[in-house]
Structures are given as structure tokens and as C-alpha cells.
Amino acid sequence: MKPRGAGDLPVLLAPDRSAAERVLAGEIVALLESRPSATLGLATGNSPIGVYRELCAAHAARRVSFASATTFNLDEYLDLPRGDPRSFRSWTQAQLVDAVRPARSRLPEVDPDHLDPRAVAEAYEREIRAAGGLDLVILGIGRNGHIAFNEPGSTRDSRTRVVELDALTRADAARTFGSIESVPRRAITMGIATILEARAIRVLAFGAEKAGIVRRTLEDPVSSAWPATFLRGHRDVRLYVDREAAGAIRDAAGLPRITPS
Ligand code: F6R
């Protein structure tokens, strides 16, 4: 099951998303076995949720320990009330952290009374560096090509910072927030350079709504127009797709496949 093809971003085609989720969860279990103090970068949202479910199950079965591990969320909304259930802090706690209890779980979180989110962003970047960087980052891709909240226009050398959210990002988040007006306008996100410094990057894209951006990520010129294109050429990156998300890729039929276990 060696990834190959689709240029410089190896792609693995899964028969369905749960097969990809099991493979990636298995990689993370193996990483934590060989390096108990590993640092993980965590996306939130639909793409990684099954991987976290698998990791919770592995933890419950005592097949993995997070007791020495550190997790760093990729991003967090700004301007939400403290403890808001729609924050990425609440989401990550519910989906992973409360169950697996990493030694440290960090987010670029701004207290609503804190006046300087920029300083929080810069401190988060320093904290990631002080932890020795990220061993493995789990990413989803936004339909506009964002990775974390590096929206179109983000540069390859960007670092953790305050960003304005793109209209499409806010429209997609309206599902969670009930209406687009309720979606925050700003967030803190790890930068593209921060992510590219990770020793391994694993990207998940499932469903027909990701087919267009998966094709662009693999086939369009590398540029800020589609930030996910910056992943191409990373020394240890893999993109896991299901059949629907692979639907628009040239030569999709020839992609290496994950065989169900
Ligand atoms: C979330 C994040 C985003 C999502 C992307 C895809 O922490 O950083 O980049 O990964 O918006 O979202 P889903 O997986 O919900 O389609």
C-alpha cells in the first residue's frame, strides 16, 4: 500500500472513508508507540472525526497511550464567548481530548477579555517551536483550498496569526452555527510554514463536495490561490481520499488503493 502517483502529493484511494480512518489511526498509534512524547497537530471538523473515534476506541482498549503526548489544535475562532460549545476547544474535548487525556492539549485560544490576539498567536508559534515542532499534522481541506484557516491569499511563509475568514469558509460553518451571521469573522490559525515544518502531514478528503478542491490541490499550479497546493513536495505527506473525493482527479482509476482490513 505504498502511495504513488498524482505528482508530488502522494494519494491513497480508500474504498470508503472508514478504511482511510483506520489506516491513519493505526499510523498514529504506531507513532505514539515509537515516540510516546509525540506532538500532534489536530484539525477539527468532519474530515478527521472518524480518526478521533478510532483513537478513542484504541485508547479504551489500552492499545495506545497519550500520557506523554502533546496535541496542538491547528486553529480556533476568535470573538466567541468563553466556553462556547461551537469553539474548537469544546469540539476537540468532546471528540478526543476528554477520552484520551494527552499530557498537554493546546489551542491558540484568546480569552474574550484579552486585548491582544496577535500576541496569543505569536506565543502559540513559539510554543510549537519550543515543543520541538510537530511530529504529525492531521489536516482537512476547505472547499476554497484552505488548510487550517490559511485562506486563499495566504503565503507559503505564513506563521501562526490572526486571520479574517473567507466568505465560503463562513458559509460552510453556518451549518454548525445556525446562520452565517453567527459565524465568527476572525480566527487564529497556524501558518502554512508552521504546518510545512511538521515531520509528517496526513490530509483527509471525503465526499463529492471535496472532489473539485482535491483535483485543484493535485493538479493546479502551486500558489496562494489554493493554499492546499503548498502541501505538494513536502517530504512526508499523504492525502487519503474516498472514491467520491477522488472523482475529478486525472487517472483516479490508477491510484494506489487501501485494501480494507
Ligand atoms: C478545522 C480546519 C479546517 C478544516 C476544513 C475542512 O480545524 O482547520 O481547515 O479542516 O475546513 O473541514 P471539514 O473537514 O469539516 O470539511
Side-chain angles (χ1 to χ4, degrees), residues 28 39-43 52 70-74 124 134-139 190 198 200 202:
I28 295 167
T39 51
L40 301 173
L42 302 182
Y52 301 154
T70 301
T71 61
F72 285 99
N73 273 57
L74 298 175
Y124 197 61
L134 300 164
D135 288 307
L136 187 146
V137 174
I138 303 166
L139 293 180
M190 283 187 200
R202 297 293 180 263

Side-chain angles (χ1 to χ4, degrees), residues 42-48 73-75 88 139-143 146-149 169 204 209-210:
L42 302 182
T44 57
N46 177 53
S47 303
N73 273 57
L74 298 175
D75 40 21
F88 288 161
L139 293 180
I141 310 179
R143 289 192 299 143
H146 74 204
I147 47 173
F149 276 147
T169 300
L204 300 165
E209 68 169 16
K210 297 293 170 78

